[in-house]
Amino acid sequence: MAGENAIRSKVKRALRQPSNGALRWSLFRPGETGSEHRDSIIFVVLFAVCIAASHWCVARFGTIFVWPANGVLVAALLLLHRPAALRVLIVCGAVNLLGNFLRDSPAHMIVIGTALNLAESIAAAAIARRFCGAGLDLRRPRRLTAFVVLAVAPTCAVAALIGIAALRVPLHEFAVGWQTWFAADALGLIIVTPLLVLAAAHRRENAGRPTRLVEPCLLLGLVTVITLAIFLQSRAPLEFLIFLPVLLIAFRLSPIWSALAILIVATIGTVATLSGHGPMTLGVLGPVEWANAQTLRALQTLPTFQLFMMALIAVALPATTVLTERRLMAGRLRARTAAAIAARQHIAHLAAHDADSGLPNRTGLMQTLERSASGGATVFVAALSVDRFARIRAAIGSVEAARLLARIAKRLAASLPGERVALLSSDTIGLQMQCADEASAEQRLRAALAAFDVPMMVADAEVDVGLTAGLARVEGAARGIDRAMIALDQARLASVPLAWFDADTERVAAGGLAMLSVLRTSLIDGSLWLAHQPKLDLKNGRVAGVECLIRWDRPGHGRVRPDAFMPLVEETRFIEPLTDWVLGRALSDQAALAARGISVGMAINLSARSLGEPSLVARFAAILAEKAARAEDITLEITETAIMGDPETALASLNALKRLGFGIAIDDYGTGLSSLSYLRNIPADSLKIDRCFIAGMADGPRHVELVRATIDLGHRLGLKVVAEGVETEEQLALLSLLGCDQAQGYLIAQPCPVAEIDSAAIAVWTRHVSAPDDDIACAVGG
Ligand code: C2E
Ligand code: CA
Ligand code: CA
């Protein structure tokens, strides 16, 4: 909007400054050819020659065969295009000659007069066109012919009508009639044709322009008064005064007013002439005879009239040129302004919409969100992705997939009338909702998602299209969409159809990048280390092994638990060097302990991503070789979910690691989407019951039964069973009773640095279970 106004005010300013170079006040309008100056000089010289020739002819031969050629010649030359000029000249010359042969016949004047009027009309039109910049191109033969035909009717309507009326004047008063005819001729020449040309040229400029009645009435009144003055007051030169109102009508008003002006002049002229009023009445000239002295005198005034007429044209046309230029420029500017505004709107539309589907894009949705949010509404935004979209795209191609996404978006829009649906990216749909609160937003979205219970046709096949949505309340438009995207990621990770934005996730994500870069340097600067937490063998009271848990003393932040950074690390390739570092450090710690006479098996945690990495086995083998260590002394803890992402690769890696000699423990058993088939396939040695089941035992006998059943299951599969998160004596006693093999938890020990592990520490760890023999409290195990 602001842009439009700026353009409009620029246009107005440009129009207010006629001297800014666009408008030229020169007498003759310079055109494209550059020959205007030369033509102007020729125009003036020829005109002077014609006037002189008229004088000479009248004096010498008593005839005036040169006069009609004046305007014609001038105009023909001004046409610039030689062939057209030649045609006009030939016609005029022929008519002139004919006039001289027939000059004694009373009827010849009708024919010649009309033809000459016509020729001069064309000439005047050419002048008008030339000076006023009108759009009629008379240089083309077809256009010239069309114009001649068009010009005949109105030219005759005025000139011939008045002229023929003059024929009714008795022959002995012929000079009077002739002069009247001349007045008609001039009127036809000056009024009709320029009007025609200008009205035709400016019709488009005037279109749609509201006309107030004052101006047309004033101008038509002026036309009436002047015409009456010409015919009733016999003031011949007055005929040239009519020029001004008539041109103003042509320039400023619609063609209908021009037609009215023509009608007024023709009617007054005809009626006045028929009732004996002419510009040169008997009252002025007295009774005259054909070719008498007074007629001659009258004829001798002709060149003076013509001079006067041409002078008027020379002054009036350039003046009107300015008017025309201004109008044309205004029109052009208006058109350009409209085009610029339209282009700007088109560009804005393109920027805010998807080109193929026409749906709003991210920018478009952001604009809508900004508007809605600034309007004070409670706005929610959702990001939706199509489940398995990558697979669908691979199957049907990206073009069809884009179409499918647009169809889904449209279906969504149909089920949420009044809300805005957009395409956020090639696989994400955005949605704006205005709801009273979170609960109603969620309810509406769930209802909309239900619309997708009906399968969609994709590439001639019915496909169940599932959508996953992230939902956020909008506080700032851009943040709103980002938050919905984060929520969408959360929903995908948790495999739920809908998730709300959680501010903590965002904070972690924002801090995550910075954290990762610091973490990389921590591998070498010593701020990363392993804490060790013992597992107690419940059968013999010894330490069955220790689990290595990563710790990070982040500079400036204090100790950071793995839950705060491991998920982030697992999303990047940094997990590989970190896993290698953990194995290496565990082996070093193990060697350090062995040097102090404490021989203990160690367990490290493997993330899902590590397990999916084909290079894992080779890297671990290399680390073992480098440290001259045995795989048998290390247990790898993996969760069931770590297998689920890419079971084939994960199981292949596990089997290879098992062959290398590593022990395998199933971690956090019971929390994942446990599938018995995984239990069967994983080459595990032990199974760690997740701490939530251990804590849950206090809740009742059913929970205890669950733990008992799990222990039995493990045993039947030939696995050692470890209880995690043992925090109380009761839990420990119960687990012993249930036949659990090992226990790990804060009751036995908090994870601690390797330096703190000594015989005194081991004595504290093992105090809960009385060992059958006291001498060795520590044994190598998984
Ligand atoms: P996890 O493998 O289940 O590790 C056990 C977690 O439970 C540890 O938390 C430990 O400190 C805590 N824990 C031990 N006993 C008790 C108890 O009696 N009560 C309670 N409430 N908690 C207890 P931590 O050290 O924060 O580790 C969290 C998770 O981080 C670990 O879960 C493991 O999945 C991951 N992690 C730790 N170190 C590594 C590592 O080096 N590599 C990988 N990939 N993951 C690691
Ligand atoms: Ca573990
Ligand atoms: Ca665990």
Side-chain angles (χ1 to χ4, degrees):
M1 289 297 124
E4 271 175 48
N5 287 338
I7 294 176
R8 289 218 168 92
S9 64
K10 257 190 208 168
V11 170
K12 276 191 194 148
R13 236 177 295 133
L15 287 177
R16 250 184 267 127
Q17 298 170 350
S19 57
N20 66 355
L23 298 178
R24 299 183 192 88
W25 287 88
S26 63
L27 188 63
F28 304 106
R29 187 166 156 264
E32 310 77 21
T33 57
S35 61
E36 266 70 23
H37 256 27
R38 194 195 58 200
D39 293 342
S40 306
I41 294 165
I42 296 173
F43 167 82
V44 175
V45 171
L46 275 174
F47 185 70
V49 170
C50 285
I51 299 294
S54 295
H55 273 281
W56 186 75
C57 284
V58 169
R60 182 84 176 72
F61 308 110
T63 183
I64 42 129
F65 63 84
V66 224
W67 74 263
N70 291 354
V72 175
L73 193 66
V74 165
L77 279 162
L78 288 174
L79 277 170
L80 290 179
H81 187 60
R82 304 273 146 89
L86 208 65
R87 270 197 295 275
V88 175
L89 273 176
I90 289 170
V91 170
C92 292
V95 169
N96 238 0
L97 273 177
L98 196 71
N100 280 295
F101 279 125
L102 299 175
R103 54 181 289 238
D104 289 332
S105 150
H108 78 279
M109 280 303 198
I110 303 171
V111 180
I112 299 167
T114 307
L116 291 179
N117 279 338
L118 185 58
E120 283 211 299
S121 292
I122 296 170
I127 299 171
R129 183 183 80 83
R130 180 85 165 72
F131 283 104
C132 303
L136 260 180
D137 185 0
L138 295 179
R139 282 176 299 179
R140 295 204 191 149
R142 267 183 58 198
R143 293 228 177 138
L144 187 65
T145 317
F147 178 79
V148 168
V149 172
L150 262 177
V152 169
T155 304
C156 292
V158 180
L161 201 67
I162 303 172
I164 289 166
L167 281 182
R168 289 177 62 101
V169 178
L171 198 63
H172 70 277
E173 294 171 9
F174 186 75
V176 177
W178 197 88
Q179 282 295 341
T180 309
W181 197 336
F182 171 71
D185 180 31
L187 285 174
L189 163 73
I190 301 167
I191 301 164
V192 178
T193 313
L195 272 179
L196 253 185
V197 176
L198 295 173
H202 296 287
R203 198 177 308 138
R204 233 173 299 143
E205 306 294 325
N206 286 323
R209 187 168 165 271
T211 312
R212 268 170 266 110
L213 268 178
V214 185
E215 191 182 349
C217 289
L218 211 78
L219 291 175
L220 285 181
L222 217 59
V223 167
T224 312
V225 168
I226 296 173
T227 314
L228 281 172
I230 292 170
F231 284 93
L232 301 182
Q233 298 302 309
S234 305
R235 299 277 145 85
L238 276 178
E239 67 196 44
F240 304 109
L241 280 185
I242 205 165
F243 188 72
L244 196 70
V246 156
L247 270 177
L248 280 174
I249 289 174
F251 277 124
R252 299 185 53 80
L253 307 177
S254 67
I256 196 109
W257 298 108
S258 296
L260 257 175
I262 293 169
L263 203 70
I264 288 172
V265 173
T267 312
I268 294 176
T270 309
V271 171
T273 308
L274 284 176
S275 58
H277 298 282
M280 290 209 173
T281 55
L282 295 177
V284 175
L285 294 174
V288 284
E289 300 265 327
W290 172 245
N292 66 8
Q294 268 189 319
T295 308
L296 275 180
R297 216 180 309 131
L299 291 176
Q300 277 162 357
T301 60
L302 264 179
T304 321
F305 285 146
Q306 281 175 317
L307 182 69
F308 186 62
M309 180 180 88
M310 285 307 188
L312 220 106
I313 290 176
V315 174
L317 284 183
T320 55
T321 300
V322 175
L323 273 176
T324 316
E325 281 230 12
R326 212 187 151 114
R327 290 198 60 76
L328 286 179
M329 196 176 72
R332 246 178 269 132
L333 277 173
R334 259 198 304 276
R336 261 183 230 166
T337 309
I341 290 169
R344 193 180 277 228
Q345 281 168 348
H346 185 60
I347 290 167
H349 182 87
L350 282 184
H353 289 80
D354 175 66
D356 292 326
S357 64
L359 285 165
N361 58 16
R362 191 190 174 96
T363 314
L365 185 67
M366 224 139 84
Q367 289 166 355
T368 318
L369 285 175
E370 265 162 19
R371 275 197 296 275
S372 315
S374 63
T378 311
V379 184
F380 296 89
V381 62
L384 301 112
S385 71
V386 181
D387 301 340
R388 297 168 292 129
F389 193 65
R391 276 197 207 169
I392 297 177
R393 183 159 43 204
I396 64 176
S398 55
V399 176
E400 278 301 318
R403 264 185 219 146
L404 174 69
L405 198 70
R407 271 169 57 205
I408 293 172
K410 282 172 185 164
R411 192 193 272 201
L412 207 60
S415 56
L416 286 166
E419 309 293 18
R420 188 88 159 164
V421 176
L423 289 180
L424 291 183
S425 68
S426 62
D427 57 5
T428 315
I429 295 167
L431 169 68
Q432 178 208 275
M433 293 194 295
Q434 293 194 18
C435 299
D437 53 22
E438 270 80 355
S440 58
E442 184 170 334
Q443 196 188 359
R444 282 204 77 184
L445 186 57
R446 283 194 193 278
L449 292 181
F452 291 90
D453 288 347
V454 188
M456 292 185 84
M457 289 301 290
V458 178
D460 295 333
E462 277 199 342
V463 174
D464 284 312
V465 174
L467 291 184
T468 302
L471 199 50
R473 194 191 179 113
V474 175
E475 269 129 32
R479 298 303 303 146
I481 295 177
D482 284 348
R483 288 176 171 189
M485 297 291 279
I486 292 172
L488 174 61
D489 284 340
Q490 292 302 110
R492 280 203 202 113
L493 274 176
S495 302
V496 292
L498 193 152
W500 276 95
F501 166 73
D502 166 22
D504 287 342
T505 319
E506 186 185 43
R507 226 171 292 123
V508 170
L513 288 176
M515 185 165 79
L516 266 181
S517 73
V518 183
L519 193 59
R520 272 173 222 279
T521 60
S522 304
L523 280 189
I524 39 172
D525 72 5
S527 57
L528 217 55
W529 55 279
L530 291 182
H532 301 276
Q533 189 181 35
K535 297 178 217 172
L536 196 62
D537 191 318
L538 296 178
K539 299 282 170 9
N540 59 21
R542 292 179 186 174
V543 174
V546 294
E547 180 180 357
C548 302
L549 295 159
I550 199 163
R551 292 290 177 269
W552 182 26
D553 293 332
R554 184 177 175 186
H557 284 74
R559 184 153 302 172
V560 188
R561 295 278 292 235
D563 287 337
F565 62 89
M566 283 312 290
L568 207 77
V569 173
E570 280 167 11
E571 283 177 21
T572 70
R573 297 193 72 92
F574 182 55
I575 187 69
E576 292 169 33
L578 188 70
T579 306
D580 293 353
W581 178 87
V582 169
L583 176 62
R585 173 50 58 94
L587 290 171
S588 302
D589 287 356
Q590 199 173 39
L593 284 176
R596 281 186 250 150
I598 300 167
S599 167
V600 67
M602 287 203 170
I604 62 166
N605 293 282
L606 272 194
S607 73
R609 172 130 183 184
S610 306
L611 212 53
E613 191 55 55
S615 66
L616 178 75
V617 182
R619 283 179 6 235
F620 272 22
I623 293 168
L624 286 175
E626 186 196 320
K627 300 268 177 187
R630 293 179 343 123
E632 286 76 7
D633 296 339
I634 299 290
T635 296
L636 306 175
E637 296 192 3
I638 51 141
T639 58
E640 300 150 286
T641 40
I643 311 284
M644 283 164 67
D646 179 3
E648 266 175 47
T649 317
L651 286 175
S653 294
L654 276 183
N655 283 318
L657 290 166
K658 178 81 186 166
R659 278 196 297 277
L660 276 179
F662 285 105
I664 309 279
I666 298 171
D667 205 354
D668 300 346
Y669 182 75
T671 53
L673 290 167
S674 306
S675 149
L676 288 176
S677 71
Y678 286 129
L679 266 191
R680 191 184 59 198
N681 291 331
I682 297 172
D685 308 289
S686 55
L687 182 143
K688 297 180 80 175
I689 305 177
D690 191 75
R691 62 170 172 269
C692 65
F693 294 98
I694 308 305
M697 288 195 303
D699 296 343
R702 281 171 64 91
H703 297 264
V704 177
E705 281 312 309
L706 198 66
V707 174
R708 187 209 298 274
T710 310
I711 294 168
D712 282 352
L713 177 72
H715 285 162
R716 279 169 207 276
L717 291 171
L719 306 171
K720 285 227 175 316
V721 179
V722 185
E724 279 188 325
V726 179
E727 294 181 350
T728 64
E729 297 281 359
E730 290 74 28
Q731 287 168 346
L732 191 70
L734 193 55
L735 287 164
S736 262
L737 218 64
L738 294 175
C740 187
D741 301 291
Q742 295 170 13
Q744 182 183 357
Y746 293 163
L747 175 71
I748 297 145
Q750 290 273 349
C752 67
V754 68
E756 289 175 14
I757 303 176
D758 53 19
S759 47
I762 291 170
V764 176
W765 296 350
T766 53
R767 70 191 183 277
H768 299 282
V769 182
S770 48
D773 49 66
D774 296 329
D775 45 16
I776 317 162
C778 216
V780 173

